[in-house]
């Protein structure tokens, strides 16, 4: 499974430059831009799709705490800079360019932020998700 997900991420990386027809998602706040850059139904897996989401953090950018679609398995790779990440109340971890992390269905994403106040950061989140799940991220009310 890990080899399969790595292949999916590598296949989606060139899509980070997509812009004109990218779908913008306004749920980001505090200097975060989220863009759907890729979407494709998975052959041989009824009702399953892969969706690539580019997350761009301005210096000091913070995405609010959130959950993802219940079916979502996410493999995220940092493309630029450093990103702070906390899942399910666990430790806050810093991931730098080239490093990756996985989010499992039902995980709570407590911290999603740029680790730098002076440099931007980017990550590509590759979702394997039910095709009917159109809302990929839901902010947590605090």
């Amino acid at each position: 499974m890990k080899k399969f997900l790595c292949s999916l991420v590598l296949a989606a990386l060139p899509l980070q430059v997509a812009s004109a027809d990218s779908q913008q998602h306004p749920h980001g706040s505090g200097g975060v831009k989220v863009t759907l850059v890729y979407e494709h139904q998975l052959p041989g897996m009824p009702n399953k799709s892969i969706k690539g989401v580019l997350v761009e953090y301005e210096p000091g950018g913070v995405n609010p705490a959130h959950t993802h679609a219940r079916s979502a398995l996410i493999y995220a790779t940092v493309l630029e800079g450093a990103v702070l990440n906390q899942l399910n109340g666990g430790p806050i971890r810093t991931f730098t360019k080239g490093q990756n992390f996985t989010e499992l269905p039902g995980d709570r994403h407590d911290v999603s932020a740029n680790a730098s106040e002076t440099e931007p950061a980017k990550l590509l989140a590759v979702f394997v998700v039910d095709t009917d799940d159109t809302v990929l991220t839901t902010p947590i009310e605090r």
Side-chain angles (χ1 to χ4, degrees):
M1 180 70 153
K2 186 174 181 181
K3 186 175 181 180
F4 172 74
L5 287 175
C6 288
S7 297
L8 292 176
V9 169
L10 291 175
L13 283 175
L15 299 169
Q16 67 179 321
V17 296
S19 61
D21 58 352
S22 296
Q23 179 181 350
Q24 299 297 315
H25 294 275
H27 69 266
S29 69
V32 179
K33 178 181 170 187
V34 179
T35 308
L36 179 66
V37 295
Y38 181 80
E39 183 172 4
H40 188 76
Q41 288 190 355
L42 292 172
M45 297 182 76
N47 194 38
K48 289 291 184 185
S49 292
I50 182 172
K51 298 180 183 189
V53 177
L54 180 65
V55 182
E56 299 173 274
Y57 299 86
E58 293 178 4
V62 176
N63 210 358
H66 58 272
T67 58
H68 293 289
R70 289 188 186 270
S71 67
L73 170 70
I74 303 163
Y75 186 79
T77 300
V78 177
L79 304 174
E80 178 182 322
V83 175
L84 299 175
N85 185 56
Q86 181 187 36
L87 297 176
N88 304 316
I92 296 176
R93 298 180 58 197
T94 303
F95 293 90
T96 59
K97 182 178 179 179
Q99 293 183 317
N100 54 68
F101 58 91
T102 301
E103 292 183 52
L104 300 175
D107 279 352
R108 186 182 71 244
H109 204 159
D110 299 311
V111 174
S112 172
N114 188 340
S116 173
E117 295 291 329
T118 60
E119 300 294 325
K122 289 183 189 178
L123 69 78
L124 179 67
V126 178
F127 288 67
V128 176
V129 66
D130 289 348
T131 301
D132 296 338
D133 285 340
T134 57
V135 177
L136 297 181
T137 304
T138 303
I140 296 173
E141 299 297 325
R142 294 205 178 201

